[in-house]
Amino acid sequence: MYTIIGAGIGGLTTALVFEKLNIKYQLFEKAKGPNALGAGIWLAPNALQVMEFAGVLDTVTKVGNVVNRITLANQKLKPLADSSQLPAKEKYGFSTLAIHRAKLQLALIQSIPKEKIHWNKAFKFYKEEQDALTIAFQDGSTIKSKYLIAADGIDSKVRAQLFPKSQIRYSGQTCWRGVMQHPLPLEYKDRGIEMWGKGIRFGLSQLSETETSWFAVKNSKAFQKDDKTVLKNKLTSYFKEFHPLVNELINKTEINHILRNDITDLKPIKSWQKGNICLIGDAAHATTPNMGQGGAQAIEDAYYLGKLIAKHPNKNNFEQFEKKRFKRVNSIVKQSWFTGKIANLNTGTSIRNAIFSTIPKKMIDKNMYSVYDLKD
Ligand SMILES: Cc1cc2nc3c(=O)[nH]c(=O)nc-3n(C[C@H](O)[C@H](O)[C@H](O)COP(=O)(O)OP(=O)(O)OC[C@H]3O[C@@H](n4cnc5c(N)ncnc54)[C@H](O)[C@@H]3O)c2cc1C
């Protein structure tokens, strides 16, 4: 039996893949139920290929918005690099999907048998015994399990016990994410756009017929708090030099639909597994969001781990899983960290923009497909 901790993107996808492959599991989540809050995320074609494998592609696609063109632009929305997602659509059958995180979670939960998800069960610690692991929860209960898969996110409690020296890094950037309860003007409906300024950037995409999500990233000290009564004024003043669409989005967003998070990642750790315990998703390799790949990599983890277990059901596959995934994921973590630094440069932005606008399309596409392709 596999015990999965955490019903986020990684834990739920693991459950779905295990269902499909007839692998026995149970899932424990500390929240009392599905999360109604959150903002938009993009599911790139590598994530959607796994959704298709797990049999939930249609359910997920129905509650999201297809993005067929991704534009990196200067602050006035003049494109620096424009990438059509239509070749991806031809290759895989779909392009990128923008979706509200809460709707994604619900869509995944709907396809998992109810009795296999245990809510309000916060993992506390594990104990390794001769024949099995004992897993203890905050409510005082315990269970026995042969294997433990930790999908409990960047602040993973399992990781804190397994690898206590792991470190979360602050990127020097903070992020506001908003969901506006209106669609975008029609011309932007199927587009994902990111505009780079000086030490500041803004991204947007429509999430559904009635919602649009945006993010604003600014260089900042960590742990700053907002005064909600002046937050919109503050944000619109940061973006006064940007294309007018930016401030329109901020102004039309209800204040309770704006969230703030400092951007962090997990300093790459030497190993993701030990004995019968394995970390996946953000617990193992949290990345900055600059490539829109954190969730996708958690989803890929679920896929590769499930396939390995199904192929070798009578052995511990965690070391093999780590071998298969380590290089690819760490290179994405690195590339994403670097991209964030370039995107939020305070100086030299004209040179940066000039360089980006001359990168050959072939090179951009090659890099994109190296991320989108699943390799069995
Ligand atoms: C601003 C921002 C934008 C992003 N945009 C994108 C994007 O566009 N595309 C993309 O692919 N990724 C994106 N990501 C990354 C993505 O959100 C994460 O990589 C993804 O959520 C990781 O999934 P996970 O399941 O590993 O962790 P999480 O989604 O964090 O889930 C962890 C789960 O574990 C539960 N949990 C925690 N502790 C315990 C405990 N002790 N006991 C039981 N349960 C517990 C939590 O309640 C939660 O449900 C973004 C991230 C940020 C911060």
Side-chain angles (χ1 to χ4, degrees):
M1 169 73 88
Y2 288 84
T3 293
I4 305 165
I5 302 291
I9 296 173
L12 290 170
T13 311
T14 305
L16 284 165
V17 169
F18 283 15
E19 275 297 322
K20 160 111 186 177
L21 298 171
N22 287 319
I23 300 166
K24 280 195 178 157
Y25 70 92
Q26 52 191 340
L27 196 160
F28 295 88
E29 163 61 47
K30 75 173 176 187
K32 291 199 172 109
N35 193 351
L37 288 174
I41 71 165
W42 287 2
L43 289 183
N46 50 326
L48 293 176
Q49 286 170 75
V50 179
M51 294 292 135
E52 187 175 42
F53 174 81
V56 290
L57 182 66
D58 288 346
T59 325
V60 169
T61 310
K62 250 186 233 158
V63 288
N65 180 51
V66 173
V67 173
N68 282 327
R69 183 175 160 198
I70 297 180
T71 305
L72 173 61
N74 72 8
Q75 60 189 23
K76 299 289 186 202
L77 199 36
K78 181 172 175 249
L80 304 174
D82 218 345
S83 150
S84 166
Q85 295 285 291
L86 294 176
K89 203 171 205 162
E90 248 169 52
K91 191 165 179 199
Y92 310 110
F94 36 76
S95 45
T96 292
L97 188 77
I99 186 168
H100 195 294
R101 185 185 287 266
K103 288 187 183 170
L104 171 64
Q105 194 196 24
L106 271 185
L108 301 182
I109 289 168
Q110 268 171 27
S111 307
I112 297 170
K114 268 198 181 108
E115 68 280 7
K116 293 195 185 167
I117 309 185
H118 306 271
W119 299 98
N120 205 6
K121 281 281 184 189
F123 165 89
K124 195 170 177 196
F125 65 86
Y126 64 81
K127 211 158 118 195
E128 286 172 288
E129 280 156 339
Q130 245 179 8
D131 53 337
L133 293 161
T134 294
I135 297 166
F137 297 93
Q138 291 290 356
D139 62 7
S141 62
T142 57
I143 55 156
K144 294 244 181 223
S145 180
K146 172 119 196 213
Y147 295 110
L148 170 59
I149 297 172
D152 51 344
I154 187 166
D155 297 314
S156 170
K157 270 214 154 172
V158 179
R159 190 186 68 237
Q161 185 177 349
L162 193 65
F163 300 122
K165 289 190 178 150
S166 59
Q167 284 170 37
I168 291 172
R169 305 186 287 196
Y170 178 51
S171 65
Q173 298 169 4
T174 198
C175 176
W176 293 269
R177 286 176 293 163
V179 177
M180 171 183 83
Q181 305 298 313
H182 303 276
L184 283 170
L186 207 56
E187 62 189 297
Y188 300 117
K189 183 180 188 290
D190 68 344
R191 293 182 63 183
I193 296 172
E194 186 163 328
M195 286 168 255
W196 287 1
K198 276 186 189 169
I200 193 163
R201 70 189 131 124
F202 193 91
L204 60 106
S205 60
Q206 192 167 314
L207 284 183
S208 67
E209 290 304 321
T210 54
E211 295 164 311
T212 295
S213 102
W214 55 262
F215 61 86
V217 179
K218 187 177 183 307
N219 296 340
S220 162
K221 284 188 202 147
F223 307 119
Q224 305 294 300
K225 291 266 174 283
D226 289 321
D227 172 355
K228 289 215 165 189
T229 59
V230 295
L231 176 60
K232 280 203 212 175
N233 286 344
K234 200 166 87 173
L235 288 175
T236 48
S237 75
Y238 292 155
F239 288 98
K240 62 179 186 296
E241 305 288 331
F242 275 59
H243 188 282
L245 185 61
V246 171
N247 280 351
E248 191 185 324
L249 258 65
I250 296 171
N251 281 324
K252 279 189 174 167
T253 304
E254 282 175 35
I255 192 70
N256 291 334
H257 289 150
I258 303 178
L259 305 171
R260 179 179 184 163
N261 298 91
D262 286 339
I263 294 184
T264 55
D265 79 357
L266 179 68
K267 187 173 173 199
I269 51 179
K270 288 204 177 101
S271 182
W272 302 340
Q273 50 79 37
K274 204 161 138 191
N276 285 357
I277 301 164
C278 186
L279 311 172
I280 65 161
D282 277 11
H285 47 68
T287 172
T288 49
N290 308 310
M291 288 171 68
Q293 274 292 320
Q297 291 308 310
I299 289 168
E300 278 194 21
D301 282 349
Y303 174 75
Y304 288 111
L305 184 57
K307 296 266 269 194
L308 274 171
I309 294 171
K311 201 166 169 196
H312 309 286
N314 298 319
K315 65 174 238 195
N316 179 332
N317 290 282
F318 292 159
E319 200 177 330
Q320 206 50 37
F321 162 74
E322 179 186 290
K323 251 190 204 152
K324 178 146 191 81
R325 299 282 296 140
F326 208 67
K327 203 170 148 205
R328 169 169 164 88
V329 179
N330 280 341
S331 110
I332 287 174
V333 171
K334 229 186 200 173
Q335 201 181 330
S336 182
W337 183 268
F338 180 67
T339 304
K341 297 287 169 212
I342 302 286
N344 270 50
L345 279 178
N346 274 320
T347 54
T349 53
S350 315
I351 299 171
R352 173 198 65 191
N353 290 0
I355 293 172
F356 267 82
S357 56
T358 55
I359 297 177
K361 193 177 164 335
K362 252 193 181 166
M363 222 166 116
I364 297 173
D365 285 354
K366 192 174 166 212
N367 191 40
M368 195 167 75
Y369 287 110
S370 75
V371 174
Y372 289 174
D373 274 341
L374 292 188
K375 287 175 191 70
D376 274 315

